[in-house]
Amino acid sequence: MKIYIKYDINVACRTIVQEQLAKLGIEYDLQDLGEIQIPNGIPPEVFAQLQENLKRYGIDILNDQKSQLIQRIKNTIIEMINQDKLPASKISLYLAEKMNMNYSYISTLFSEFTHSSIENYIILQKIERAKKLLLQELSLTEISYMLNYSSVAHLSGQFKKTTGLSPSVFKKIIDGRKRRVYTT
């Protein structure tokens, strides 16, 4: 028997981190996505245990500033893409304002570190969101509006370029899998 689940990776990670911090008796304050303020510090042996516990779930504690900044950029993009409606302002302005940094610096650092552009990362995240919205039975028109695409054709083109499938073929494949599960 197969079952399909729907999950929010941000909620799952946040829950895991909170459980592990509580388990070790660490006082904390959740900040932005992926940021935690530890007011009283952590003894080295407890910190090592926290790292080990989180690693089991594929969660790493970032120690160097560039890695932390890259993760903050990614988290900010993911948070932005998962809003009900993307900001009306240019994404570069949104990121610069949200990160409180110069966009050209953010963009250069991101490209150097990830070997990809912020724009490509945004497209990948938008397509991931579009997949989820398709599964929620939203129309391509609704999805293209929510994700600030200029047209349904633009969304469809990026979807096919990124996944190798048109949105309608993607939906048919998923629906076919669901039918097979329910009939077996």
Side-chain angles (χ1 to χ4, degrees):
M1 175 174 116
K2 272 189 190 176
I3 61 169
Y4 290 89
I5 60 171
K6 178 184 172 218
Y7 58 90
D8 182 328
I9 193 70
N10 295 327
V11 172
C13 284
R14 183 181 300 249
T15 302
I16 290 167
V17 169
Q18 287 176 312
E19 287 173 354
Q20 294 304 314
L21 289 166
K23 181 177 172 181
L24 294 170
I26 301 169
E27 288 184 39
Y28 64 92
D29 179 29
L30 289 177
Q31 308 278 293
D32 289 333
L33 193 61
E35 274 184 61
I36 303 163
Q37 181 69 38
I38 310 290
N40 301 324
I42 307 173
E45 63 278 359
V46 176
F47 184 78
Q49 185 63 53
L50 177 63
Q51 277 185 303
E52 186 180 314
N53 292 357
L54 292 175
K55 193 124 188 107
R56 288 193 346 247
Y57 296 99
I59 301 171
D60 291 318
I61 295 176
L62 303 176
N63 292 323
D64 70 271
Q65 286 186 329
K66 283 188 179 180
S67 295
Q68 292 171 0
L69 182 55
I70 296 302
Q71 193 58 50
R72 277 186 56 215
I73 295 166
K74 288 179 176 182
N75 290 344
T76 301
I77 291 168
I78 291 167
E79 189 175 67
M80 175 189 70
I81 298 296
N82 285 302
Q83 293 177 14
D84 288 339
K85 177 77 173 101
L86 266 63
S89 65
K90 291 182 86 176
I91 291 174
S92 58
L93 293 174
Y94 177 85
L95 284 173
E97 188 176 291
K98 193 84 167 151
M99 303 283 303
N100 198 23
M101 298 178 143
N102 179 295
Y103 180 75
S104 62
Y105 172 74
I106 294 169
S107 178
T108 301
L109 182 69
F110 190 90
S111 296
E112 285 174 6
F113 203 84
T114 65
H115 306 290
S116 180
S117 68
I118 286 179
E119 291 75 18
N120 285 339
Y121 188 76
I122 290 169
I123 290 168
L124 291 173
Q125 294 307 314
K126 284 173 111 175
I127 297 307
E128 284 305 310
R129 177 93 194 279
K131 288 177 187 177
K132 290 176 186 174
L133 294 171
L134 279 169
L135 298 177
Q136 294 174 10
E137 304 298 325
L138 270 70
S139 71
L140 283 177
T141 303
E142 292 169 310
I143 295 169
S144 67
Y145 173 76
M146 287 176 73
L147 298 176
N148 279 358
Y149 279 96
S150 57
S151 67
V152 171
H154 186 209
L155 166 61
S156 295
Q158 275 194 345
F159 195 99
K160 182 162 179 122
K161 186 177 178 183
T162 303
T163 66
L165 303 168
S166 69
S168 57
V169 169
F170 171 81
K171 184 111 175 66
K172 283 179 188 172
I173 290 170
I174 297 301
D175 288 345
R177 287 181 183 171
K178 285 180 184 176
R179 276 194 299 281
R180 279 196 305 272
V181 168
Y182 293 132
T183 57
T184 56

